[in-house]
Amino acid sequence: MGTMAEAEDSDLAALAAAGDDAAFRLLAGRYQGLMYGVCRRIACNDQDALDALQEALVLMWQRIGTFEGRSAMSTWLYRIAANAAIDEVRRRARRAVQADVSALDREAAPDDVAGQAALRSTVDWALGQLPPHYRAAVVLRESYELSYLQIADILEVPIDTVKSRISRGRQALAGLLMPSFLDGA
């Protein structure tokens, strides 16, 4: 197998399932950035994303023995991270969403850092308004460019459900974001 750092994901998963902490840490290290990115885009804020990531890593540790290698490790971990983030959003659903949509009074120029930050904040706010199941589908499609089939596998829903969630999520985002852009026109 060579060094542990060169080991295949499936080999590391088997070692981790047998209780090898070093193998698990290496595997988690390979995918922690990807998992955080999924959690961040679904949770729409850093603290919730970190909480969801922590939960996802705990679940990864608890379930590593169930990884059968039928899908890529990344697909399996997308599912764990997305579900942990959706659960975190649901737990915090009663928290008031604080965003100032009026901060975006014009479309930002590429070199306008403040404008880009305002745009990003507005998009994050709009994503935060979507129901978690729409948000997860839209994020996996738009931010990670996954296919409908991959998203269906990750979310464990039929492909037509994925298409419907993405369509409805995009429509809701357009409804939320268009007034912001029209006000600045």
Side-chain angles (χ1 to χ4, degrees), residues 71-72 75-76 79 148-157 162:
S71 63
T75 301
W76 188 69
R79 178 182 304 128
Y148 291 126
L149 186 59
Q150 290 172 308
I151 297 168
D153 185 41
I154 289 165
L155 299 179
E156 299 177 317
V157 296
V162 169

Side-chain angles (χ1 to χ4, degrees), residues 118-159:
L119 177 61
R120 180 58 168 217
S121 175
T122 301
V123 171
D124 281 351
W125 169 83
L127 279 169
Q129 303 307 298
L130 297 180
H133 56 281
Y134 289 176
R135 185 180 323 153
V138 169
V139 165
L140 292 172
R141 179 69 179 167
E142 301 302 334
S143 296
Y144 295 95
E145 299 177 355
L146 297 180
S147 70
Y148 291 126
L149 186 59
Q150 290 172 308
I151 297 168
D153 185 41
I154 289 165
L155 299 179
E156 299 177 317
V157 296
I159 197 165

Side-chain angles (χ1 to χ4, degrees), residues 3 11 33 47-48 53 75 111 129 131 147 181:
T3 68
D11 295 330
Q47 188 57 52
D48 288 350
L53 174 62
T75 301
D111 59 344
Q129 303 307 298
S147 70
F181 291 109

Side-chain angles (χ1 to χ4, degrees), residues 10 13 18 38-39 48 50-51 58 60 67 83 98 137 142 144 149:
S10 58
V38 170
C39 292
D48 288 350
L50 289 171
D51 291 346
V58 168
M60 179 185 171
F67 177 71
N83 287 336
Q98 298 176 351
E142 301 302 334
Y144 295 95
L149 186 59

Side-chain angles (χ1 to χ4, degrees), residues 18-143:
D20 188 327
D21 290 341
F24 177 79
R25 282 193 306 274
L26 183 58
L27 191 58
R30 284 183 185 174
Y31 291 99
Q32 186 170 342
L34 175 134
M35 294 170 72
Y36 175 77
V38 170
C39 292
R40 175 63 180 88
R41 295 297 302 173
I42 293 172
C44 294
N45 76 56
D46 293 330
Q47 188 57 52
D48 288 350
L50 289 171
D51 291 346
L53 174 62
Q54 182 175 346
E55 180 64 24
L57 290 170
V58 168
L59 290 170
M60 179 185 171
W61 173 251
Q62 291 171 341
R63 297 179 183 166
I64 194 71
T66 66
F67 177 71
E68 298 174 351
R70 289 184 289 169
S71 63
M73 177 63 66
S74 59
T75 301
W76 188 69
L77 293 175
Y78 271 124
R79 178 182 304 128
I80 290 174
N83 287 336
I86 289 168
D87 289 346
E88 184 64 29
V89 168
R90 287 179 179 150
R91 278 192 290 275
R92 305 210 187 232
R94 295 192 183 270
R95 182 180 60 216
V97 175
Q98 298 176 351
D100 183 9
V101 178
S102 65
L104 183 64
D105 59 344
R106 61 181 164 74
E107 190 170 341
D111 59 344
D112 180 4
V113 176
Q116 288 294 324
L119 177 61
R120 180 58 168 217
S121 175
T122 301
V123 171
D124 281 351
W125 169 83
L127 279 169
Q129 303 307 298
L130 297 180
H133 56 281
Y134 289 176
R135 185 180 323 153
V138 169
V139 165
L140 292 172
R141 179 69 179 167
E142 301 302 334
S143 296

